[in-house]
Structure formats: C-alpha cells, structure tokens
Coordinates of all heavy atoms in Angstrom, one line a residue:
M1 N -4.6 16.3 -8.5 CA -4.0 15.0 -8.5 C -4.0 14.4 -7.1 O -4.2 13.2 -6.9 CB -2.5 15.1 -9.0 CG -1.9 13.8 -9.1 SD -0.3 13.9 -9.9 CE 0.7 12.9 -8.8
L2 N -3.7 15.2 -6.1 CA -3.7 14.7 -4.7 C -5.1 14.3 -4.3 O -5.2 13.3 -3.4 CB -3.2 15.8 -3.8 CG -1.7 16.1 -3.8 CD1 -1.4 17.3 -2.9 CD2 -0.9 14.9 -3.5
S3 N -6.2 14.8 -4.8 CA -7.5 14.4 -4.4 C -7.8 13.0 -4.9 O -8.7 12.4 -4.3 CB -8.5 15.4 -4.9 OG -8.6 15.4 -6.3
T4 N -7.1 12.5 -5.9 CA -7.3 11.2 -6.3 C -6.5 10.1 -5.7 O -6.6 8.9 -5.9 CB -7.1 11.1 -7.9 OG1 -5.7 11.4 -8.1 CG2 -8.0 12.0 -8.6
A5 N -5.6 10.5 -4.8 CA -4.6 9.6 -4.1 C -5.2 9.1 -2.8 O -4.5 8.9 -1.8 CB -3.3 10.4 -3.8
Q6 N -6.5 8.7 -2.8 CA -7.1 8.1 -1.7 C -7.3 6.6 -1.9 O -7.4 6.2 -3.0 CB -8.5 8.8 -1.5 CG -8.5 10.3 -1.2 CD -9.9 10.8 -1.1 OE1 -10.8 10.1 -1.0 NE2 -10.0 12.1 -1.2
P7 N -7.2 5.9 -0.8 CA -7.5 4.5 -0.9 C -8.8 4.2 -1.5 O -9.8 4.9 -1.4 CB -7.4 4.0 0.6 CG -6.7 5.0 1.3 CD -7.0 6.3 0.6
E8 N -8.9 3.0 -2.2 CA -10.1 2.7 -2.9 C -11.3 2.6 -1.9 O -12.4 3.1 -2.2 CB -9.9 1.3 -3.6 CG -11.1 0.9 -4.5 CD -10.7 -0.3 -5.2 OE1 -9.6 -0.5 -5.7 OE2 -11.7 -1.1 -5.4
D9 N -11.1 1.9 -0.8 CA -12.2 1.8 0.2 C -11.5 2.0 1.5 O -10.8 1.1 2.0 CB -12.9 0.4 0.2 CG -14.0 0.3 1.2 OD1 -14.2 1.2 2.0 OD2 -14.7 -0.7 1.1
P10 N -11.6 3.2 2.1 CA -10.8 3.5 3.3 C -11.1 2.5 4.5 O -10.1 2.2 5.2 CB -11.3 4.9 3.7 CG -12.2 5.4 2.6 CD -12.5 4.3 1.7
W11 N -12.3 2.0 4.6 CA -12.5 1.1 5.7 C -11.7 -0.2 5.6 O -11.1 -0.7 6.5 CB -14.0 0.8 5.8 CG -14.8 2.1 6.0 CD1 -15.5 2.8 5.1 CD2 -14.9 2.8 7.3 NE1 -16.0 3.9 5.6 CE2 -15.7 4.0 7.0 CE3 -14.4 2.7 8.5 CZ2 -16.0 4.9 7.9 CZ3 -14.8 3.6 9.5 CH2 -15.5 4.7 9.2
I12 N -11.8 -0.8 4.4 CA -11.0 -2.0 4.1 C -9.5 -1.8 4.2 O -8.8 -2.6 4.8 CB -11.4 -2.6 2.7 CG1 -12.9 -2.9 2.7 CG2 -10.6 -3.8 2.4 CD1 -13.4 -3.9 3.7
E13 N -9.1 -0.7 3.6 CA -7.6 -0.4 3.6 C -7.1 -0.2 5.1 O -6.0 -0.7 5.4 CB -7.3 0.9 2.8 CG -7.5 0.8 1.3 CD -6.6 -0.2 0.7 OE1 -5.4 -0.3 1.1 OE2 -7.0 -0.8 -0.3
C14 N -7.8 0.4 5.9 CA -7.4 0.6 7.3 C -7.4 -0.7 8.0 O -6.5 -1.0 8.8 CB -8.4 1.6 8.0 SG -8.2 3.3 7.5
L15 N -8.4 -1.5 7.9 CA -8.5 -2.8 8.5 C -7.3 -3.7 8.0 O -6.7 -4.4 8.8 CB -9.8 -3.5 8.3 CG -11.0 -2.9 9.0 CD1 -12.3 -3.6 8.5 CD2 -10.8 -3.1 10.5
W16 N -7.1 -3.7 6.7 CA -6.0 -4.5 6.2 C -4.7 -4.1 6.7 O -3.8 -4.9 7.1 CB -6.0 -4.4 4.7 CG -5.0 -5.3 4.0 CD1 -3.7 -4.8 3.6 CD2 -5.0 -6.7 3.7 NE1 -3.0 -5.9 3.1 CE2 -3.8 -7.0 3.1 CE3 -6.0 -7.6 3.8 CZ2 -3.5 -8.3 2.7 CZ3 -5.7 -8.9 3.4 CH2 -4.4 -9.2 2.8
E17 N -4.4 -2.8 6.8 CA -3.2 -2.3 7.3 C -2.9 -2.6 8.7 O -1.8 -3.0 9.1 CB -3.1 -0.8 7.1 CG -1.8 -0.1 7.4 CD -0.7 -0.5 6.4 OE1 -1.0 -0.8 5.2 OE2 0.5 -0.5 6.8
R18 N -3.9 -2.6 9.6 CA -3.8 -2.9 11.0 C -3.8 -4.4 11.3 O -2.9 -4.9 12.0 CB -4.9 -2.3 11.8 CG -4.7 -2.5 13.3 CD -5.7 -1.8 14.2 NE -5.4 -2.2 15.6 CZ -6.3 -1.9 16.5 NH1 -7.4 -1.2 16.3 NH2 -6.0 -2.3 17.8
F19 N -4.7 -5.2 10.7 CA -4.8 -6.6 11.0 C -4.3 -7.5 10.0 O -4.2 -8.7 10.2 CB -6.3 -6.9 11.3 CG -6.9 -6.0 12.5 CD1 -7.8 -5.0 12.2 CD2 -6.4 -6.2 13.8 CE1 -8.3 -4.3 13.2 CE2 -6.9 -5.4 14.8 CZ -7.8 -4.5 14.5
G20 N -4.1 -7.1 8.8 CA -3.6 -8.0 7.7 C -4.6 -8.9 7.2 O -5.8 -8.6 7.3
E21 N -4.2 -10.1 6.8 CA -5.1 -11.1 6.2 C -6.2 -11.6 7.2 O -7.2 -12.0 6.8 CB -4.4 -12.3 5.7 CG -3.6 -11.9 4.4 CD -2.9 -13.2 3.8 OE1 -3.5 -14.2 3.8 OE2 -1.8 -13.0 3.4
R22 N -5.9 -11.5 8.5 CA -6.8 -12.1 9.5 C -7.9 -11.1 9.8 O -8.7 -11.4 10.7 CB -6.0 -12.5 10.7 CG -5.4 -11.4 11.5 CD -4.7 -11.9 12.7 NE -4.3 -10.8 13.6 CZ -5.1 -10.2 14.5 NH1 -6.3 -10.6 14.7 NH2 -4.6 -9.2 15.2
A23 N -8.0 -10.0 9.1 CA -9.1 -9.0 9.5 C -10.5 -9.6 9.2 O -10.8 -10.1 8.1 CB -8.9 -7.8 8.6
E24 N -11.2 -9.7 10.3 CA -12.6 -10.1 10.2 C -13.5 -9.0 10.8 O -13.3 -8.6 11.9 CB -12.8 -11.4 11.0 CG -12.0 -12.5 10.5 CD -12.1 -13.8 11.4 OE1 -13.1 -13.8 12.2 OE2 -11.3 -14.6 11.3
L25 N -14.4 -8.5 10.0 CA -15.1 -7.3 10.3 C -15.9 -7.5 11.6 O -16.1 -6.6 12.4 CB -16.1 -7.0 9.2 CG -15.4 -6.6 7.9 CD1 -16.5 -6.3 6.8 CD2 -14.5 -5.4 8.1
S26 N -16.3 -8.7 12.0 CA -17.2 -8.9 13.1 C -16.3 -9.0 14.4 O -16.8 -8.7 15.5 CB -18.0 -10.2 13.0 OG -17.2 -11.3 12.8
S27 N -15.1 -9.5 14.4 CA -14.4 -9.8 15.6 C -13.4 -8.7 16.0 O -12.9 -8.7 17.1 CB -13.6 -11.1 15.5 OG -12.6 -11.0 14.5
E28 N -13.0 -7.8 15.1 CA -12.0 -6.7 15.4 C -12.7 -5.5 15.9 O -13.9 -5.3 15.7 CB -11.2 -6.4 14.1 CG -10.6 -7.6 13.5 CD -9.5 -8.3 14.3 OE1 -9.2 -7.8 15.4 OE2 -9.1 -9.4 13.9
P29 N -12.0 -4.6 16.6 CA -12.6 -3.3 17.0 C -13.1 -2.5 15.8 O -12.5 -2.6 14.8 CB -11.4 -2.6 17.7 CG -10.4 -3.7 18.0 CD -10.6 -4.7 17.0
A30 N -14.1 -1.8 16.0 CA -14.8 -1.1 14.9 C -13.9 0.1 14.5 O -13.4 0.8 15.4 CB -16.2 -0.7 15.3
L31 N -13.8 0.4 13.3 CA -13.1 1.5 12.7 C -14.1 2.7 12.9 O -15.2 2.6 12.5 CB -12.8 1.4 11.3 CG -12.0 2.5 10.6 CD1 -10.6 2.6 11.2 CD2 -11.9 2.2 9.1
T32 N -13.7 3.8 13.6 CA -14.6 4.9 13.9 C -14.4 6.1 13.0 O -15.3 6.8 12.7 CB -14.4 5.3 15.3 OG1 -13.1 5.7 15.6 CG2 -14.8 4.2 16.3
D33 N -13.2 6.3 12.4 CA -12.9 7.4 11.6 C -11.7 7.2 10.7 O -10.8 6.5 11.1 CB -12.7 8.7 12.5 CG -12.7 10.0 11.8 OD1 -13.3 10.0 10.7 OD2 -12.2 11.0 12.3
H34 N -11.7 7.9 9.6 CA -10.5 8.0 8.8 C -10.4 9.5 8.3 O -11.4 10.1 8.0 CB -10.5 7.0 7.6 CG -11.7 7.2 6.8 ND1 -11.7 8.0 5.7 CD2 -12.9 6.6 6.8 CE1 -12.9 7.9 5.1 NE2 -13.7 7.1 5.8
E35 N -9.2 10.0 8.3 CA -9.0 11.4 8.0 C -7.8 11.6 7.0 O -6.8 11.1 7.3 CB -8.8 12.2 9.3 CG -8.5 13.7 9.1 CD -8.2 14.4 10.4 OE1 -8.3 13.8 11.4 OE2 -7.8 15.5 10.3
L36 N -8.1 12.3 5.9 CA -7.0 12.6 4.9 C -6.6 14.1 5.1 O -7.5 15.0 5.2 CB -7.6 12.4 3.5 CG -6.7 12.7 2.4 CD1 -5.5 11.7 2.4 CD2 -7.5 12.5 1.1
S37 N -5.3 14.3 5.1 CA -4.7 15.6 5.3 C -3.6 15.8 4.2 O -2.8 14.9 4.0 CB -4.2 15.9 6.7 OG -3.5 17.0 6.8
F38 N -3.5 17.0 3.6 CA -2.5 17.2 2.6 C -1.3 18.0 3.2 O -0.2 17.9 2.7 CB -3.1 18.0 1.4 CG -4.1 17.1 0.7 CD1 -5.4 17.5 0.6 CD2 -3.7 16.0 0.1 CE1 -6.3 16.7 -0.1 CE2 -4.6 15.2 -0.6 CZ -5.9 15.6 -0.7
L39 N -1.5 18.8 4.2 CA -0.4 19.5 4.9 C -0.5 19.4 6.4 O -1.3 20.0 7.0 CB -0.4 21.0 4.5 CG 0.1 21.3 3.1 CD1 -0.1 22.8 2.8 CD2 1.5 20.9 2.8
P40 N 0.3 18.6 7.0 CA 1.2 17.6 6.4 C 0.5 16.4 5.8 O -0.7 16.2 6.2 CB 2.0 17.1 7.7 CG 1.1 17.3 8.8 CD 0.2 18.5 8.5
V41 N 1.1 15.7 4.9 CA 0.5 14.6 4.3 C 0.2 13.5 5.3 O 1.1 13.1 6.0 CB 1.4 14.0 3.2 CG1 0.8 12.8 2.5 CG2 1.7 15.1 2.1
S42 N -1.0 13.1 5.4 CA -1.4 12.1 6.5 C -2.7 11.4 6.1 O -3.5 12.0 5.4 CB -1.6 12.9 7.8 OG -2.1 12.0 8.8
Y43 N -2.8 10.2 6.4 CA -4.0 9.4 6.3 C -4.2 8.6 7.5 O -3.5 7.6 7.7 CB -4.0 8.6 5.0 CG -5.4 8.0 4.8 CD1 -6.3 8.7 4.1 CD2 -5.8 6.7 5.2 CE1 -7.6 8.3 3.9 CE2 -7.0 6.2 5.0 CZ -8.0 7.0 4.3 OH -9.2 6.5 4.1
R44 N -5.0 9.1 8.5 CA -5.1 8.5 9.8 C -6.4 7.7 9.9 O -7.5 8.1 9.5 CB -5.1 9.5 10.9 CG -3.8 10.1 11.1 CD -3.8 11.0 12.4 NE -2.6 11.7 12.5 CZ -1.5 11.3 13.2 NH1 -1.6 10.1 13.8 NH2 -0.4 12.0 13.2
C45 N -6.3 6.5 10.5 CA -7.4 5.6 10.8 C -7.5 5.5 12.3 O -6.5 5.4 13.0 CB -7.2 4.2 10.2 SG -6.9 4.2 8.4
S46 N -8.7 5.6 12.8 CA -9.0 5.5 14.3 C -10.0 4.4 14.6 O -11.0 4.3 13.9 CB -9.5 6.9 14.8 OG -8.6 7.9 14.5
W47 N -9.7 3.7 15.6 CA -10.6 2.6 16.0 C -11.2 2.9 17.4 O -10.7 3.7 18.1 CB -9.8 1.3 16.1 CG -9.6 0.6 14.8 CD1 -10.3 -0.3 14.1 CD2 -8.4 0.9 13.9 NE1 -9.7 -0.6 12.9 CE2 -8.6 0.1 12.8 CE3 -7.3 1.8 14.0 CZ2 -7.7 0.1 11.7 CZ3 -6.4 1.8 13.0 CH2 -6.6 0.9 11.8
E48 N -12.3 2.2 17.7 CA -13.0 2.4 18.9 C -12.2 2.1 20.2 O -12.5 2.6 21.2 CB -14.3 1.7 18.9 CG -14.2 0.2 19.0 CD -15.5 -0.6 18.9 OE1 -16.6 0.1 18.9 OE2 -15.5 -1.8 18.9
D49 N -11.1 1.3 20.0 CA -10.3 0.9 21.2 C -9.2 1.9 21.4 O -8.4 1.8 22.3 CB -9.7 -0.5 21.0 CG -8.8 -0.6 19.8 OD1 -8.6 0.4 19.0 OD2 -8.1 -1.7 19.7
G50 N -9.2 3.1 20.7 CA -8.3 4.2 20.9 C -7.0 4.1 20.0 O -6.2 5.0 20.0
H51 N -6.9 3.0 19.3 CA -5.7 2.8 18.4 C -5.8 3.7 17.2 O -6.9 3.8 16.6 CB -5.6 1.4 18.0 CG -4.3 1.1 17.2 ND1 -3.1 0.9 17.7 CD2 -4.2 1.0 15.8 CE1 -2.2 0.7 16.8 NE2 -2.9 0.7 15.6
T52 N -4.8 4.4 16.8 CA -4.7 5.2 15.6 C -3.6 4.7 14.8 O -2.5 4.3 15.3 CB -4.6 6.7 15.9 OG1 -3.4 7.0 16.6 CG2 -5.8 7.2 16.6
L53 N -3.7 4.9 13.5 CA -2.6 4.4 12.5 C -2.6 5.4 11.4 O -3.6 5.8 10.8 CB -3.0 3.0 12.0 CG -2.1 2.5 10.9 CD1 -0.8 2.1 11.5 CD2 -2.8 1.2 10.3
D54 N -1.3 5.9 11.2 CA -1.1 6.8 10.0 C -0.5 6.0 8.9 O 0.5 5.4 9.0 CB -0.1 8.0 10.4 CG -0.1 9.1 9.4 OD1 -0.7 8.9 8.3 OD2 0.5 10.1 9.7
M55 N -1.2 5.9 7.8 CA -0.8 5.0 6.7 C 0.2 5.7 5.8 O 0.7 5.0 4.9 CB -2.1 4.6 5.9 CG -3.0 3.8 6.7 SD -4.5 3.3 5.9 CE -4.0 2.5 4.5
V56 N 0.6 6.9 6.1 CA 1.7 7.6 5.3 C 3.0 7.4 6.1 O 3.1 7.7 7.2 CB 1.4 9.1 5.1 CG1 2.5 9.8 4.4 CG2 0.1 9.3 4.4
P57 N 4.0 6.9 5.4 CA 5.3 6.7 6.1 C 5.9 8.0 6.6 O 5.7 9.0 6.1 CB 6.2 6.1 5.0 CG 5.3 5.5 4.0 CD 4.0 6.4 4.1
G58 N 6.7 7.9 7.7 CA 7.2 9.0 8.4 C 8.2 9.9 7.5 O 8.4 11.0 7.8
F59 N 8.8 9.3 6.5 CA 9.8 10.0 5.7 C 9.2 10.8 4.6 O 9.8 11.6 4.0 CB 10.8 9.0 5.1 CG 10.1 8.0 4.1 CD1 9.9 8.4 2.8 CD2 9.8 6.8 4.5 CE1 9.3 7.5 1.9 CE2 9.2 5.9 3.7 CZ 9.0 6.2 2.3
V60 N 7.9 10.7 4.4 CA 7.2 11.4 3.3 C 7.2 12.9 3.5 O 7.6 13.7 2.6 CB 5.8 10.9 3.0 CG1 5.0 11.8 2.1 CG2 5.8 9.5 2.6
N61 N 6.8 13.4 4.7 CA 6.8 14.9 4.9 C 8.2 15.5 4.9 O 8.3 16.6 4.2 CB 6.0 15.2 6.2 CG 4.5 14.9 6.0 OD1 3.9 15.4 5.0 ND2 4.0 14.1 6.9
P62 N 9.2 15.0 5.6 CA 10.5 15.6 5.5 C 11.1 15.6 4.0 O 11.7 16.5 3.6 CB 11.4 14.8 6.4 CG 10.4 14.2 7.4 CD 9.2 14.0 6.6
G63 N 10.8 14.5 3.3 CA 11.2 14.3 1.9 C 10.6 15.4 1.0 O 11.2 16.0 0.2
A64 N 9.3 15.6 1.2 CA 8.6 16.6 0.5 C 9.1 18.0 0.8 O 9.3 18.9 -0.1 CB 7.1 16.6 0.8
L65 N 9.5 18.3 2.0 CA 10.0 19.6 2.4 C 11.4 19.8 1.7 O 11.7 20.9 1.2 CB 10.2 19.7 3.9 CG 10.8 21.0 4.4 CD1 9.9 22.2 4.1 CD2 11.0 20.9 5.9
V66 N 12.2 18.8 1.8 CA 13.6 18.9 1.1 C 13.4 19.1 -0.4 O 14.1 20.0 -1.0 CB 14.4 17.6 1.4 CG1 15.6 17.6 0.5 CG2 14.8 17.6 2.9
F67 N 12.5 18.4 -1.0 CA 12.2 18.6 -2.4 C 11.8 20.0 -2.7 O 12.2 20.6 -3.7 CB 11.2 17.5 -2.9 CG 10.9 17.6 -4.4 CD1 11.8 17.2 -5.3 CD2 9.7 18.1 -4.8 CE1 11.6 17.3 -6.7 CE2 9.4 18.2 -6.2 CZ 10.4 17.8 -7.1
A68 N 10.9 20.5 -1.9 CA 10.3 21.9 -2.1 C 11.4 22.9 -2.0 O 11.5 23.8 -2.8 CB 9.2 22.2 -1.2
V69 N 12.3 22.8 -1.0 CA 13.4 23.7 -0.7 C 14.3 23.7 -1.9 O 14.8 24.7 -2.4 CB 14.0 23.5 0.6 CG1 15.3 24.3 0.7 CG2 13.1 23.9 1.7
A70 N 14.7 22.5 -2.3 CA 15.6 22.3 -3.5 C 15.1 22.9 -4.7 O 15.8 23.5 -5.5 CB 15.9 20.8 -3.7
T71 N 13.8 22.8 -5.0 CA 13.1 23.4 -6.1 C 13.2 24.9 -6.1 O 13.5 25.5 -7.1 CB 11.7 22.9 -6.2 OG1 11.6 21.5 -6.3 CG2 11.0 23.5 -7.4
V72 N 12.9 25.5 -5.0 CA 13.0 26.9 -4.8 C 14.4 27.4 -5.0 O 14.6 28.4 -5.8 CB 12.4 27.4 -3.4 CG1 12.7 28.8 -3.2 CG2 10.9 27.1 -3.4
L73 N 15.4 26.7 -4.4 CA 16.8 27.2 -4.6 C 17.2 27.0 -6.0 O 17.9 27.9 -6.6 CB 17.7 26.4 -3.7 CG 17.5 26.6 -2.2 CD1 18.4 25.7 -1.4 CD2 17.9 28.1 -1.9
A74 N 16.9 25.9 -6.7 CA 17.3 25.8 -8.1 C 16.6 26.8 -9.0 O 17.2 27.3 -9.9 CB 16.9 24.4 -8.6
S75 N 15.3 27.1 -8.7 CA 14.7 28.2 -9.5 C 15.3 29.5 -9.3 O 15.5 30.3 -10.3 CB 13.2 28.2 -9.1 OG 12.6 27.0 -9.4
A76 N 15.6 29.8 -8.1 CA 16.2 31.1 -7.8 C 17.6 31.2 -8.4 O 18.0 32.3 -9.0 CB 16.3 31.3 -6.3
T77 N 18.4 30.2 -8.4 CA 19.7 30.1 -9.0 C 19.6 30.3 -10.5 O 20.3 31.1 -11.1 CB 20.4 28.8 -8.7 OG1 20.6 28.7 -7.3 CG2 21.8 28.8 -9.3
A78 N 18.7 29.6 -11.1 CA 18.5 29.7 -12.6 C 18.0 31.1 -13.0 O 18.5 31.7 -14.0 CB 17.4 28.7 -13.1
A79 N 17.1 31.7 -12.2 CA 16.7 33.1 -12.5 C 17.8 34.1 -12.3 O 18.0 35.0 -13.1 CB 15.5 33.5 -11.5
A80 N 18.7 33.9 -11.3 CA 19.8 34.8 -11.1 C 20.8 34.7 -12.2 O 21.3 35.7 -12.7 CB 20.5 34.5 -9.7
R81 N 21.1 33.5 -12.7 CA 22.0 33.3 -13.8 C 21.5 33.9 -15.1 O 22.2 34.5 -15.9 CB 22.4 31.8 -13.9 CG 23.3 31.3 -12.9 CD 23.6 29.9 -13.1 NE 24.5 29.4 -12.1 CZ 24.9 28.2 -12.0 NH1 24.6 27.3 -12.9 NH2 25.7 27.8 -11.0
G82 N 20.2 33.7 -15.3 CA 19.6 34.2 -16.5 C 19.6 35.7 -16.5 O 19.9 36.4 -17.5
T83 N 19.4 36.4 -15.4 CA 19.4 37.8 -15.3 C 20.8 38.3 -15.5 O 21.1 39.3 -16.2 CB 18.9 38.3 -13.9 OG1 17.6 37.8 -13.7 CG2 18.9 39.8 -13.7
A84 N 21.8 37.6 -14.9 CA 23.2 38.0 -15.1 C 23.6 37.9 -16.5 O 24.3 38.8 -17.1 CB 24.1 37.2 -14.2
R85 N 23.2 36.9 -17.2 CA 23.6 36.7 -18.7 C 22.9 37.8 -19.5 O 23.5 38.4 -20.4 CB 23.1 35.4 -19.2 CG 24.0 34.2 -18.7 CD 23.5 32.9 -19.3 NE 24.3 31.9 -18.7 CZ 24.0 30.6 -18.8 NH1 22.9 30.2 -19.5 NH2 24.8 29.7 -18.3
L86 N 21.6 38.1 -19.2 CA 20.9 39.2 -19.9 C 21.6 40.5 -19.7 O 21.8 41.3 -20.6 CB 19.5 39.2 -19.4 CG 18.6 40.2 -20.1 CD1 18.5 39.9 -21.6 CD2 17.2 40.2 -19.5
L87 N 22.0 40.8 -18.5 CA 22.6 42.1 -18.2 C 24.0 42.2 -18.8 O 24.4 43.2 -19.4 CB 22.7 42.3 -16.7 CG 21.4 42.6 -16.0 CD1 21.7 42.7 -14.5 CD2 20.7 43.9 -16.5
G88 N 24.7 41.0 -18.8 CA 26.1 40.9 -19.5 C 26.0 41.1 -21.0 O 26.8 41.8 -21.6
A89 N 24.9 40.6 -21.6 CA 24.8 40.7 -23.0 C 24.4 42.2 -23.4 O 24.8 42.7 -24.4 CB 23.7 39.8 -23.5
R90 N 23.6 42.8 -22.6 CA 23.2 44.2 -22.9 C 24.5 45.1 -22.7 O 24.6 46.1 -23.4 CB 22.1 44.7 -21.9 CG 20.8 44.1 -22.3 CD 19.7 44.7 -21.5 NE 18.4 44.1 -21.9 CZ 17.3 44.4 -21.3 NH1 17.2 45.2 -20.3 NH2 16.2 43.8 -21.7
A91 N 25.3 44.8 -21.7 CA 26.5 45.7 -21.5 C 27.5 45.6 -22.6 O 28.2 46.5 -22.9 CB 27.1 45.3 -20.2
R92 N 27.5 44.4 -23.2 CA 28.5 44.2 -24.3 C 28.0 44.7 -25.7 O 28.8 45.1 -26.5 CB 28.8 42.7 -24.5 CG 29.7 42.1 -23.5 CD 30.0 40.7 -23.8 NE 28.9 40.0 -23.0 CZ 28.6 38.8 -23.2 NH1 29.1 38.1 -24.2 NH2 27.6 38.2 -22.5
G93 N 26.7 44.8 -25.8 CA 26.3 45.2 -27.1 C 25.2 46.1 -27.3 O 24.8 46.8 -28.1

C-alpha cells in the first residue's frame, strides 16, 4: 500500500508545493532530485539552488510511532488477559 502513496507526477507536485500557482518551468530553479523514504516517512524535493522541501508534515513520524507503541501495548495486554482467563478456566474445571 505504501508503494502506491507517491505523488502522481513528482516534478509537478514538488514545483506546485514550493511555488504554488505561479510555478513556471522555465523561470524557476530546476528540480534536481526527489526521494521517497518509508522509515522515517519522507518525500524530499531538491532544487539546483540548494533548497530542499519535505512534503510530509512533521507530525506524521511521531504520530506513527505513538500509534505503533499503542498497538503493541494493546496487543500485549489482550494476550495477557486471554492467557489469564485461559489459566483461570483450567484451574476451575
């Protein structure tokens, strides 16, 4: 699923994000590179004038970490309760 979460046309998306509606391919600095990363989640655009732009908001990676930790804790709690109920049922009967 993550491999499909790429912008439709990275060059156009990067130019639009940096320059907005006034983006003109001939007058703006040339886009030299775009890089997609999943850990940490990042989509960086680089221009020939040295400017870089990460199109992923800063709250995404900490939010994903909190979600992952909460999922692990909830799974561990559910497994512990299930084991306790199973052992309690065997002890009673």
Side-chain angles (χ1 to χ4, degrees):
M1 182 171 138
L2 288 175
S3 65
T4 62
Q6 299 177 14
E8 187 175 321
D9 183 353
W11 302 101
I12 299 298
E13 293 292 327
C14 289
L15 287 172
W16 180 266
E17 189 67 29
R18 182 175 178 193
F19 301 111
E21 288 185 41
R22 66 178 189 86
E24 297 176 17
L25 297 176
S26 61
S27 66
E28 305 297 351
L31 184 66
T32 57
D33 191 23
H34 57 90
E35 178 184 352
L36 179 65
S37 169
F38 294 116
L39 286 175
V41 179
S42 175
Y43 190 83
R44 290 190 187 269
C45 303
S46 302
W47 283 266
E48 68 183 358
D49 64 354
H51 184 80
T52 60
L53 176 69
D54 192 350
M55 294 177 57
V56 176
F59 63 83
V60 170
N61 287 309
L65 178 63
V66 168
F67 181 73
V69 168
T71 301
V72 168
L73 290 176
S75 298
T77 301
R81 287 183 180 176
T83 301
R85 285 183 185 165
L86 182 61
L87 292 176
R90 285 187 180 175
R92 282 182 271 160

